[in-house]
Amino acid sequence: MASGNEEKIESGFNDVPETKPKKDWILLSLRVVAFLATVSATLVMSLNKQTKTFVVATIGSTPITVPLTAKFQHTPAFVYFVVANGIVSLHNLVMIAMYILGPKFHNKGLQLALIAVFDTMALALASSGDGAATAMSELGRNGNSHAKWNKICDKFESYCNRGGGSLIASFIGLILLLIITVMSINKLLKLNRN
């Protein structure tokens, strides 16, 4: 009879450690992929630049050409996008480092609350940066006939394509940040229930 109780106790102890690290590894892998997505979005947009030469006038039979450059710095929304994704990348990198140094820091109480708050702030920052850059990308792709703003993506195609790729990577990071935030808040709520 004593051996039956020991088997139940042993199986109970073996079940608990296996489920907790699995959830932590899921959270860590989501953070790593979110970090890679946001840092790639930051790098692609910050290196986004294209120069083309346009004919602006013709004097006699001689064309007058002007080189024009499209850079992300020319649009404040894209600058905000780069800064926001850079900060979110840094946040995820710090959280990954905290997980790796996990035995030194215990995930209890205030630390879990701060992680949940910072994850929510990172989610809001990434969301606002993505929204601003998406609005400007839409304007660059289609223009605005009511405001008489011309589209530029027909002239700077590779610039717009790289910007679109950067937005896709950032939205992938945003979706992962949403999942991470829900998991962080859920972890905090489970601690408060106990």
Short mmCIF file of all heavy atoms in Angstrom, two decimals, residues 27-68:
data_model
loop_
_atom_site.label_atom_id
_atom_site.label_comp_id
_atom_site.label_asym_id
_atom_site.label_seq_id
_atom_site.Cartn_x
_atom_site.Cartn_y
_atom_site.Cartn_z
N LEU A 27 6.77 29.87 -24.75
CA LEU A 27 6.86 31.33 -24.60
C LEU A 27 8.22 31.83 -25.09
O LEU A 27 8.29 32.85 -25.78
CB LEU A 27 6.63 31.71 -23.14
CG LEU A 27 6.51 33.20 -22.83
CD1 LEU A 27 5.33 33.81 -23.57
CD2 LEU A 27 6.37 33.42 -21.35
N LEU A 28 9.29 31.10 -24.76
CA LEU A 28 10.62 31.51 -25.22
C LEU A 28 10.72 31.45 -26.74
O LEU A 28 11.23 32.38 -27.37
CB LEU A 28 11.69 30.63 -24.59
CG LEU A 28 13.12 30.93 -25.06
CD1 LEU A 28 13.56 32.31 -24.61
CD2 LEU A 28 14.08 29.87 -24.59
N SER A 29 10.21 30.38 -27.34
CA SER A 29 10.29 30.28 -28.80
C SER A 29 9.45 31.35 -29.49
O SER A 29 9.85 31.91 -30.51
CB SER A 29 9.89 28.88 -29.26
OG SER A 29 8.57 28.61 -28.90
N LEU A 30 8.28 31.67 -28.90
CA LEU A 30 7.48 32.76 -29.46
C LEU A 30 8.21 34.10 -29.36
O LEU A 30 8.18 34.90 -30.30
CB LEU A 30 6.13 32.86 -28.74
CG LEU A 30 5.10 31.78 -29.05
CD1 LEU A 30 3.90 31.93 -28.13
CD2 LEU A 30 4.68 31.85 -30.50
N ARG A 31 8.90 34.32 -28.24
CA ARG A 31 9.67 35.56 -28.07
C ARG A 31 10.82 35.64 -29.08
O ARG A 31 11.10 36.69 -29.62
CB ARG A 31 10.22 35.65 -26.65
CG ARG A 31 9.23 36.18 -25.68
CD ARG A 31 9.92 36.76 -24.47
NE ARG A 31 8.98 36.96 -23.40
CZ ARG A 31 8.19 38.02 -23.31
NH1 ARG A 31 8.23 38.97 -24.22
NH2 ARG A 31 7.35 38.13 -22.30
N VAL A 32 11.49 34.51 -29.31
CA VAL A 32 12.61 34.50 -30.26
C VAL A 32 12.10 34.81 -31.67
O VAL A 32 12.69 35.63 -32.39
CB VAL A 32 13.36 33.15 -30.21
CG1 VAL A 32 14.32 33.01 -31.37
CG2 VAL A 32 14.10 33.01 -28.88
N VAL A 33 11.00 34.18 -32.07
CA VAL A 33 10.46 34.44 -33.41
C VAL A 33 9.94 35.87 -33.51
O VAL A 33 10.15 36.54 -34.53
CB VAL A 33 9.36 33.41 -33.76
CG1 VAL A 33 8.71 33.73 -35.09
CG2 VAL A 33 9.94 32.01 -33.79
N ALA A 34 9.31 36.39 -32.46
CA ALA A 34 8.85 37.78 -32.46
C ALA A 34 10.04 38.73 -32.54
O ALA A 34 9.99 39.75 -33.25
CB ALA A 34 8.01 38.07 -31.22
N PHE A 35 11.11 38.41 -31.81
CA PHE A 35 12.32 39.24 -31.89
C PHE A 35 12.87 39.24 -33.31
O PHE A 35 13.22 40.31 -33.84
CB PHE A 35 13.38 38.72 -30.90
CG PHE A 35 14.73 39.32 -31.11
CD1 PHE A 35 14.99 40.63 -30.72
CD2 PHE A 35 15.75 38.59 -31.70
CE1 PHE A 35 16.24 41.20 -30.91
CE2 PHE A 35 17.00 39.15 -31.90
CZ PHE A 35 17.25 40.46 -31.50
N LEU A 36 12.98 38.06 -33.91
CA LEU A 36 13.51 37.99 -35.28
C LEU A 36 12.63 38.75 -36.27
O LEU A 36 13.14 39.42 -37.18
CB LEU A 36 13.66 36.53 -35.70
CG LEU A 36 14.73 35.73 -34.95
CD1 LEU A 36 14.67 34.26 -35.36
CD2 LEU A 36 16.11 36.31 -35.17
N ALA A 37 11.31 38.67 -36.09
CA ALA A 37 10.40 39.37 -37.00
C ALA A 37 10.54 40.89 -36.85
O ALA A 37 10.63 41.61 -37.84
CB ALA A 37 8.96 38.94 -36.73
N THR A 38 10.56 41.38 -35.60
CA THR A 38 10.62 42.83 -35.41
C THR A 38 11.99 43.39 -35.75
O THR A 38 12.08 44.50 -36.30
CB THR A 38 10.23 43.22 -33.97
OG1 THR A 38 11.05 42.51 -33.04
CG2 THR A 38 8.77 42.92 -33.70
N VAL A 39 13.05 42.65 -35.46
CA VAL A 39 14.38 43.16 -35.81
C VAL A 39 14.58 43.13 -37.32
O VAL A 39 15.21 44.04 -37.88
CB VAL A 39 15.50 42.42 -35.04
CG1 VAL A 39 15.86 41.09 -35.66
CG2 VAL A 39 16.74 43.29 -34.94
N SER A 40 14.03 42.14 -38.01
CA SER A 40 14.14 42.13 -39.47
C SER A 40 13.32 43.26 -40.09
O SER A 40 13.75 43.90 -41.05
CB SER A 40 13.74 40.78 -40.05
OG SER A 40 12.38 40.53 -39.82
N ALA A 41 12.14 43.53 -39.52
CA ALA A 41 11.34 44.66 -40.01
C ALA A 41 12.08 45.97 -39.80
O ALA A 41 12.07 46.85 -40.68
CB ALA A 41 9.99 44.70 -39.29
N THR A 42 12.74 46.11 -38.66
CA THR A 42 13.51 47.32 -38.38
C THR A 42 14.66 47.48 -39.36
O THR A 42 14.86 48.57 -39.92
CB THR A 42 14.07 47.27 -36.94
OG1 THR A 42 13.00 47.11 -36.03
CG2 THR A 42 14.85 48.51 -36.60
N LEU A 43 15.41 46.41 -39.59
CA LEU A 43 16.56 46.50 -40.49
C LEU A 43 16.16 46.74 -41.94
O LEU A 43 16.77 47.56 -42.63
CB LEU A 43 17.40 45.22 -40.38
CG LEU A 43 18.15 45.04 -39.07
CD1 LEU A 43 18.83 43.68 -39.02
CD2 LEU A 43 19.17 46.16 -38.88
N VAL A 44 15.13 46.03 -42.40
CA VAL A 44 14.72 46.20 -43.80
C VAL A 44 14.23 47.62 -44.04
O VAL A 44 14.59 48.26 -45.04
CB VAL A 44 13.64 45.16 -44.18
CG1 VAL A 44 13.01 45.48 -45.52
CG2 VAL A 44 14.25 43.77 -44.22
N MET A 45 13.40 48.15 -43.13
CA MET A 45 12.89 49.51 -43.33
C MET A 45 13.99 50.55 -43.17
O MET A 45 14.04 51.52 -43.92
CB MET A 45 11.75 49.80 -42.36
CG MET A 45 11.07 51.13 -42.59
SD MET A 45 10.25 51.29 -44.20
CE MET A 45 8.67 50.58 -43.83
N SER A 46 14.90 50.36 -42.22
CA SER A 46 15.94 51.37 -42.01
C SER A 46 16.96 51.38 -43.14
O SER A 46 17.62 52.40 -43.36
CB SER A 46 16.63 51.16 -40.67
OG SER A 46 17.31 49.92 -40.65
N LEU A 47 17.09 50.29 -43.87
CA LEU A 47 18.01 50.25 -45.01
C LEU A 47 17.29 50.48 -46.34
O LEU A 47 17.90 50.37 -47.40
CB LEU A 47 18.74 48.90 -45.04
CG LEU A 47 19.61 48.61 -43.82
CD1 LEU A 47 20.17 47.20 -43.90
CD2 LEU A 47 20.73 49.62 -43.69
N ASN A 48 16.01 50.81 -46.29
CA ASN A 48 15.19 50.98 -47.48
C ASN A 48 15.51 52.32 -48.15
O ASN A 48 15.27 53.38 -47.59
CB ASN A 48 13.71 50.90 -47.12
CG ASN A 48 12.84 50.65 -48.32
OD1 ASN A 48 13.31 50.46 -49.42
ND2 ASN A 48 11.54 50.65 -48.09
N LYS A 49 16.03 52.24 -49.37
CA LYS A 49 16.41 53.44 -50.12
C LYS A 49 16.47 53.08 -51.60
O LYS A 49 16.95 52.00 -51.96
CB LYS A 49 17.77 53.92 -49.63
CG LYS A 49 18.35 55.08 -50.36
CD LYS A 49 19.72 55.43 -49.80
CE LYS A 49 20.41 56.47 -50.64
NZ LYS A 49 21.75 56.76 -50.17
N GLN A 50 15.96 53.97 -52.43
CA GLN A 50 16.05 53.76 -53.88
C GLN A 50 16.23 55.11 -54.56
O GLN A 50 15.53 56.08 -54.23
CB GLN A 50 14.80 53.07 -54.42
CG GLN A 50 14.86 52.78 -55.90
CD GLN A 50 13.61 52.12 -56.44
OE1 GLN A 50 12.64 51.91 -55.72
NE2 GLN A 50 13.62 51.80 -57.73
N THR A 51 17.15 55.17 -55.52
CA THR A 51 17.40 56.39 -56.29
C THR A 51 17.10 56.12 -57.75
O THR A 51 17.54 55.11 -58.31
CB THR A 51 18.86 56.84 -56.13
OG1 THR A 51 19.13 57.04 -54.75
CG2 THR A 51 19.13 58.13 -56.88
N LYS A 52 16.34 57.03 -58.36
CA LYS A 52 16.03 56.94 -59.79
C LYS A 52 16.26 58.30 -60.43
O LYS A 52 16.14 59.33 -59.77
CB LYS A 52 14.59 56.51 -60.01
CG LYS A 52 14.33 55.04 -59.76
CD LYS A 52 12.96 54.66 -60.18
CE LYS A 52 13.06 53.65 -61.29
NZ LYS A 52 11.77 53.19 -61.76
N THR A 53 16.55 58.29 -61.70
CA THR A 53 16.76 59.52 -62.46
C THR A 53 15.54 59.76 -63.34
O THR A 53 15.11 58.87 -64.09
CB THR A 53 18.03 59.42 -63.33
OG1 THR A 53 19.13 59.11 -62.48
CG2 THR A 53 18.31 60.72 -64.04
N PHE A 54 14.98 60.98 -63.22
CA PHE A 54 13.78 61.34 -63.97
C PHE A 54 14.09 62.51 -64.90
O PHE A 54 14.86 63.40 -64.56
CB PHE A 54 12.65 61.74 -63.02
CG PHE A 54 12.17 60.61 -62.17
CD1 PHE A 54 12.61 60.47 -60.86
CD2 PHE A 54 11.28 59.66 -62.66
CE1 PHE A 54 12.18 59.43 -60.07
CE2 PHE A 54 10.84 58.62 -61.88
CZ PHE A 54 11.29 58.50 -60.58
N VAL A 55 13.43 62.51 -66.05
CA VAL A 55 13.52 63.64 -66.98
C VAL A 55 12.48 64.65 -66.54
O VAL A 55 11.28 64.34 -66.48
CB VAL A 55 13.28 63.20 -68.44
CG1 VAL A 55 13.27 64.40 -69.37
CG2 VAL A 55 14.31 62.18 -68.86
N VAL A 56 12.93 65.87 -66.20
CA VAL A 56 11.99 66.89 -65.71
C VAL A 56 11.68 67.95 -66.77
O VAL A 56 10.66 68.62 -66.69
CB VAL A 56 12.53 67.57 -64.43
CG1 VAL A 56 12.54 66.59 -63.28
CG2 VAL A 56 13.89 68.18 -64.65
N ALA A 57 12.56 68.07 -67.75
CA ALA A 57 12.32 69.06 -68.82
C ALA A 57 13.19 68.70 -70.02
O ALA A 57 14.14 67.92 -69.90
CB ALA A 57 12.63 70.47 -68.34
N THR A 58 12.85 69.28 -71.14
CA THR A 58 13.65 69.10 -72.34
C THR A 58 13.90 70.48 -72.95
O THR A 58 12.96 71.23 -73.23
CB THR A 58 12.93 68.21 -73.36
OG1 THR A 58 12.59 66.97 -72.74
CG2 THR A 58 13.80 67.93 -74.56
N ILE A 59 15.15 70.82 -73.10
CA ILE A 59 15.52 72.09 -73.75
C ILE A 59 16.09 71.72 -75.11
O ILE A 59 17.16 71.12 -75.22
CB ILE A 59 16.55 72.87 -72.91
CG1 ILE A 59 15.95 73.20 -71.56
CG2 ILE A 59 16.99 74.12 -73.65
CD1 ILE A 59 16.87 73.90 -70.62
N GLY A 60 15.36 72.10 -76.14
CA GLY A 60 15.73 71.68 -77.48
C GLY A 60 15.59 70.18 -77.58
O GLY A 60 14.50 69.63 -77.44
N SER A 61 16.68 69.50 -77.83
CA SER A 61 16.66 68.04 -77.85
C SER A 61 17.43 67.44 -76.67
O SER A 61 17.63 66.24 -76.60
CB SER A 61 17.26 67.54 -79.17
OG SER A 61 18.61 67.94 -79.25
N THR A 62 17.82 68.30 -75.71
CA THR A 62 18.58 67.84 -74.55
C THR A 62 17.65 67.66 -73.35
O THR A 62 17.04 68.63 -72.88
CB THR A 62 19.68 68.87 -74.18
OG1 THR A 62 20.46 69.14 -75.33
CG2 THR A 62 20.55 68.34 -73.07
N PRO A 63 17.55 66.44 -72.84
CA PRO A 63 16.72 66.24 -71.66
C PRO A 63 17.44 66.69 -70.38
O PRO A 63 18.64 66.49 -70.24
CB PRO A 63 16.47 64.74 -71.63
CG PRO A 63 17.62 64.15 -72.39
CD PRO A 63 18.07 65.17 -73.37
N ILE A 64 16.69 67.32 -69.50
CA ILE A 64 17.21 67.71 -68.19
C ILE A 64 16.76 66.63 -67.21
O ILE A 64 15.56 66.41 -67.02
CB ILE A 64 16.65 69.08 -67.74
CG1 ILE A 64 16.88 70.14 -68.79
CG2 ILE A 64 17.21 69.46 -66.38
CD1 ILE A 64 18.29 70.66 -68.87
N THR A 65 17.73 65.97 -66.57
CA THR A 65 17.40 64.89 -65.64
C THR A 65 17.76 65.28 -64.21
O THR A 65 18.69 66.06 -63.98
CB THR A 65 18.15 63.59 -66.00
OG1 THR A 65 19.55 63.84 -65.95
CG2 THR A 65 17.76 63.10 -67.38
N VAL A 66 17.01 64.73 -63.30
CA VAL A 66 17.24 64.97 -61.87
C VAL A 66 17.16 63.63 -61.15
O VAL A 66 16.18 62.89 -61.31
CB VAL A 66 16.17 65.93 -61.29
CG1 VAL A 66 16.31 66.05 -59.79
CG2 VAL A 66 16.24 67.28 -61.95
N PRO A 67 18.18 63.30 -60.35
CA PRO A 67 18.08 62.08 -59.56
C PRO A 67 17.23 62.33 -58.30
O PRO A 67 17.43 63.31 -57.60
CB PRO A 67 19.53 61.77 -59.19
CG PRO A 67 20.23 63.08 -59.23
CD PRO A 67 19.50 63.91 -60.25
N LEU A 68 16.26 61.47 -58.07
CA LEU A 68 15.41 61.56 -56.88
C LEU A 68 15.60 60.30 -56.04
O LEU A 68 15.70 59.20 -56.59
CB LEU A 68 13.95 61.72 -57.26
CG LEU A 68 13.57 63.02 -57.98
CD1 LEU A 68 12.10 62.98 -58.37
CD2 LEU A 68 13.85 64.21 -57.10
#
